[in-house]
C-alpha cells in the first residue's frame, strides 16, 4: 500500500566558495608537508556578513568513502589515524592563540582609556617582576627580541611582548587591564562562547580567570598569570573559527557576526529552483569598541605589512592591500609551537578574513603566513 508518493527534498545552497576552499586546503597541505608538520586548520569568512567561505581542517578524508556505506577497514583506518582526519579542527580544535590576542587586547586598552595610542614603552627585551610573596625572588618575562621604544601601532606591527605585558598586567607607572577586563573584552569578541555556526561539534572556547584557577587548581592567580594571558598563553583555549569571527569585527569596524555556512534553502534545481528560505546576516553584538579605537588597531596590523620592521611584510607584494597579525604559541612539547596568521583584505573595504593555524611546528618554521600569501594572491587574481 502506497501512503504517499516519494518526492525530492530541498537543496541547501552554501556560502562556501569551492575554489577558495580547495586553494586554502592545498596551500596549507603543501606548507605543512614542506616542514614536516601534519595538522592544521583555516577559516575564511566575509567580514561584512559572517558568511563562511572556506572552513578547512587538515588532514581531511574522502567523503565518497561514506556515500555507499563505508567499509569496516576504511572506517577503522580513519578512526585510528593519530592525526584524526574525522576531527573538524576549524570549529572543534582549541588552542592558545599566542600573539593573535594582541589586537583584541589593544582595542580593550584603548576602550578603557588605559593608554594613549601614541604613548611609547621601552621594549628592552624583558621585564623583571618581583614575587608577590617573596621580595627576594624576581621573575623574568621575556620577548623574542628587543624593539626599543614602541607605541601601540608599532607594538602590533612588531608583536612586542613587553608592550602587551605592560598593557595587560601593568608595569612601572603604566596600569594594566588585569584578568577581569581582559576576560570581559575577549568575551565581547566571542572567545568563551560558541559562535552558533550551523555545524555540529563546535567548541565553546575558554578564558581563564582567578576564580577558575582557585577552584580548579587550588592556587591563587598571580601577576605572571596575567602576563601570560596578555600574550595569548596560559590556559586560554580558542578555535580557529572564534579567532576568525573576532577578526571579522576588527576588519568591519566592530560588528560580531554569527558565522553561517548555509546561504539559502531552495526547492528544485537550475532555472526552476525557488527559494524556500533565505538566511540573512545575524549580528551577535556591535559597538562594544569605538570605531576610532578599532581604527588604531587596524593601522597597527597594516603597519605589520607595510613597514620594514613589520612581521607580516612578506604580504606586501600582493595585488591588494592587506592587514595582518601573526602568533606563536608555546605548547607542551619542547621546541615545538602552534603558529597563527590572521589577515584581512582589501584594507579599506575588507571582503575576506583568513585565519590559518598549524599544530606542533618545529622551531618556528614558516607555515601560516606563506599560506595566507598563496591564498590571497590566488583569490584576488583569479
Amino acid at each position: 500500500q502506497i501512503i504517499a508518493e516519494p518526492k525530492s527534498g530541498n537543496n541547501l545552497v552554501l556560502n562556501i566558495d569551492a575554489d577558495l576552499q580547495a586553494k586554502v586546503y592545498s596551500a596549507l597541505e603543501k606548507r605543512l608537508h614542506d616542514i614536516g608538520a601534519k595538522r592544521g586548520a583555516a577559516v575564511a569568512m566575509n567580514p561584512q556578513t559572517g558568511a563562511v567561505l572556506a572552513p578547512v581542517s587538515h588532514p581531511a578524508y574522502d567523503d565518497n568513502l561514506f556515500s555507499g556505506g563505508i567499509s569496516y577497514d576504511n572506517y577503522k583506518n580513519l578512526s585510528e589515524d593519530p592525526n584524526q582526519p574525522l576531527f573538524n579542527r576549524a570549529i572543534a580544535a582549541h588552542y592558545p592563540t599566542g600573539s593573535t590576542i594582541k589586537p583584541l587586547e589593544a582595542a580593550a586598552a584603548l576602550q578603557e582609556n588605559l593608554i594613549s595610542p601614541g604613548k611609547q614603552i621601552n621594549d628592552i627585551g624583558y621585564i623583571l617582576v618581583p614575587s608577590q610573596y617573596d621580595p627576594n625572588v624576581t621573575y623574568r618575562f621575556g620577548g623574542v627580541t628587543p624593539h626599543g621604544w614602541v607605541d601601540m601601532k608599532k607594538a602590533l606591527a612588531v608583536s612586542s611582548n613587553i608592550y602587551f605585558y605592560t598593557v595587560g598586567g601593568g608595569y612601572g607607572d603604566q596600569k594594566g587591564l588585569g584578568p577581569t577586563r581582559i576576560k570581559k573584552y575577549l568575551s565581547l569578541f566571542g572567545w568563551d562562547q560558541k559562535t552558533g555556526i550551523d555545524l555540529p561539534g563546535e567548541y565553546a572556547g575558554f578564558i581563564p580567570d582567578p576564580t577558575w584557577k582557585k577552584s580548579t587548581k587550588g592556587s591563587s592567580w598571580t601577576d605572571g598569570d596575567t602576563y601570560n594571558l596578555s600574550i595569548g598563553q596560559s590556559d586560554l583555549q580558542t578555535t580557529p573559527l572564534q579567532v576568525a569571527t573576532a577578526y571579522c569585527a576588527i576588519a568591519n569596524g566592530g560588528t560580531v557576526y554569527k558565522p553561517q555556512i548555509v546561504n539559502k534553502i531552495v526547492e528544485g534545481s537550475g532555472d526552476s529552483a525557488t527559494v524556500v528560505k533565505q538566511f540573512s546576516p545575524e549580528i551577535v553584538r556591535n559597538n562594544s569598541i569605538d570605531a576610532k579605537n578599532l581604527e588604531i588597531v587596524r593601522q597597527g596590523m597594516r603597519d605589520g605589512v607595510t613597514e620594514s620592521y613589520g612581521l607580516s611584510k612578506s604580504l606586501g607584494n600582493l595585488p591588494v592591500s592587506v592587514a595582518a597579525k601573526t602568533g606563536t604559541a608555546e605548547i607542551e612539547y619542547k621546541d615545538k609551537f602552534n603558529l597563527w596568521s590572521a589577515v584581512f583584505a582589501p584594507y579599506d573595504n575588507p571582503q575576506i578574513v583568513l585565519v590559518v593555524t598549524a599544530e606542533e611546528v618545529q622551531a618556528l618554521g614558516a607555515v601560516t603566513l606563506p599560506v595566507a600569501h598563496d591564498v590571497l594572491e590566488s583569490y584576488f587574481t583569479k
Side-chain angles (χ1 to χ4, degrees), residues 165-221:
Y165 287 147
T166 304
V167 165
Y171 190 69
D173 65 353
Q174 177 60 54
K175 291 191 176 344
L177 285 162
T180 300
R181 286 191 289 191
I182 292 175
K183 180 166 184 172
K184 169 189 170 183
Y185 282 93
L186 294 182
S187 181
L188 289 173
F189 280 104
W191 279 12
D192 61 351
Q193 62 225 242
K194 293 182 179 181
T195 66
I197 190 173
D198 39 350
L199 288 173
E202 182 182 11
Y203 175 72
F206 176 73
I207 306 166
D209 62 28
T211 302
W212 166 83
K213 187 181 180 187
K214 190 70 174 177
S215 63
T216 304
K217 298 188 175 185
S219 56
S220 298
W221 187 271

Side-chain angles (χ1 to χ4, degrees), residues 21 24-33 35-43 54-61 82-95 239-241 337-341 354-361 367-368 371:
Q21 173 98 355
V24 174
Y25 189 87
S26 65
L28 180 58
E29 182 173 54
K30 178 183 184 303
R31 298 295 177 173
L32 289 173
H33 178 269
I35 61 153
K38 299 183 182 301
R39 299 185 294 275
V43 176
V56 168
S57 181
H58 187 282
Y61 60 92
N83 292 313
Q84 300 173 287
L86 296 175
F87 180 53
N88 187 348
R89 287 176 166 78
I91 68 167
H94 37 96
Y95 314 97
T239 67
L241 178 65
F337 305 87
N338 287 355
L339 302 185
W340 293 83
S341 290
L354 175 65
V355 169
V356 186
T357 189
E359 294 182 28
E360 296 181 23
V361 176
V367 185
T368 56
V371 171

Side-chain angles (χ1 to χ4, degrees), residues 130-198:
S131 168
Q132 295 168 252
Y133 309 107
D134 184 349
N136 296 314
V137 176
T138 299
Y139 298 103
R140 185 182 191 275
F141 294 87
V144 177
T145 185
H147 295 293
W149 291 98
V150 294
D151 62 9
M152 181 173 282
K153 290 194 290 186
K154 187 170 184 180
L156 287 167
V158 302
S159 200
S160 167
N161 281 357
I162 309 312
Y163 182 95
F164 285 98
Y165 287 147
T166 304
V167 165
Y171 190 69
D173 65 353
Q174 177 60 54
K175 291 191 176 344
L177 285 162
T180 300
R181 286 191 289 191
I182 292 175
K183 180 166 184 172
K184 169 189 170 183
Y185 282 93
L186 294 182
S187 181
L188 289 173
F189 280 104
W191 279 12
D192 61 351
Q193 62 225 242
K194 293 182 179 181
T195 66
I197 190 173
D198 39 350

Side-chain angles (χ1 to χ4, degrees), residues 21 99-100 131 137 139 163 165 178 205 228 230 256 266 302 367 372-373:
Q21 173 98 355
S99 293
T100 49
S131 168
V137 176
Y139 298 103
Y163 182 95
Y165 287 147
N228 284 327
S230 297
V256 177
V266 299
R302 179 66 177 143
V367 185
H373 185 284

Side-chain angles (χ1 to χ4, degrees), residues 39-339:
R39 299 185 294 275
V43 176
M45 292 176 63
N46 181 338
Q48 308 299 340
T49 65
V52 179
L53 306 176
V56 168
S57 181
H58 187 282
Y61 60 92
D62 183 358
D63 286 338
N64 292 316
L65 292 173
F66 288 86
S67 61
I70 191 169
S71 70
Y72 172 81
D73 286 342
N74 282 336
Y75 184 75
K76 184 172 185 289
N77 289 338
L78 288 175
S79 61
E80 295 182 359
D81 186 330
N83 292 313
Q84 300 173 287
L86 296 175
F87 180 53
N88 187 348
R89 287 176 166 78
I91 68 167
H94 37 96
Y95 314 97
T97 64
S99 293
T100 49
I101 195 177
K102 290 174 181 174
L104 282 63
E105 190 180 347
L110 292 174
Q111 193 68 20
E112 291 289 322
N113 292 313
L114 268 183
I115 191 169
S116 161
K119 178 178 177 178
Q120 295 197 328
I121 290 172
N122 192 12
D123 177 350
I124 62 172
Y126 62 89
I127 58 173
L128 298 175
V129 182
S131 168
Q132 295 168 252
Y133 309 107
D134 184 349
N136 296 314
V137 176
T138 299
Y139 298 103
R140 185 182 191 275
F141 294 87
V144 177
T145 185
H147 295 293
W149 291 98
V150 294
D151 62 9
M152 181 173 282
K153 290 194 290 186
K154 187 170 184 180
L156 287 167
V158 302
S159 200
S160 167
N161 281 357
I162 309 312
Y163 182 95
F164 285 98
Y165 287 147
T166 304
V167 165
Y171 190 69
D173 65 353
Q174 177 60 54
K175 291 191 176 344
L177 285 162
T180 300
R181 286 191 289 191
I182 292 175
K183 180 166 184 172
K184 169 189 170 183
Y185 282 93
L186 294 182
S187 181
L188 289 173
F189 280 104
W191 279 12
D192 61 351
Q193 62 225 242
K194 293 182 179 181
T195 66
I197 190 173
D198 39 350
L199 288 173
E202 182 182 11
Y203 175 72
F206 176 73
I207 306 166
D209 62 28
T211 302
W212 166 83
K213 187 181 180 187
K214 190 70 174 177
S215 63
T216 304
K217 298 188 175 185
S219 56
S220 298
W221 187 271
T222 66
D223 290 342
D225 292 319
T226 305
Y227 289 133
N228 284 327
L229 180 57
S230 297
I231 60 166
Q233 293 287 166
S234 77
D235 295 287
L236 177 70
Q237 297 285 301
T238 62
T239 67
L241 178 65
Q242 287 174 315
V243 176
T245 302
Y247 271 77
C248 282
I250 294 172
N252 68 33
T255 301
V256 177
Y257 282 103
K258 174 184 173 181
Q260 292 181 317
I261 293 284
V262 179
N263 176 276
K264 58 188 172 183
I265 301 172
V266 299
E267 184 177 16
S269 59
D271 295 337
S272 62
T274 57
V275 176
V276 175
K277 183 175 182 179
Q278 177 74 53
F279 291 90
S280 301
E282 290 188 33
I283 295 174
V284 177
R285 70 183 63 84
N286 57 12
N287 303 321
S288 299
I289 308 289
D290 294 345
K292 71 180 191 312
N293 292 333
L294 281 174
E295 185 55 33
I296 297 295
V297 175
R298 287 163 45 87
Q299 289 170 5
M301 291 178 61
R302 179 66 177 143
D303 286 352
V305 176
T306 60
E307 298 294 339
S308 61
Y309 49 73
L311 292 187
S312 305
K313 61 186 177 183
S314 62
L315 304 180
N317 64 353
L318 288 167
V320 65
S321 57
V322 184
K325 185 73 194 74
T326 58
T328 303
E330 295 179 0
I331 55 177
E332 62 266 35
Y333 304 109
K334 181 175 172 55
D335 296 326
K336 287 190 175 183
F337 305 87
N338 287 355
L339 302 185

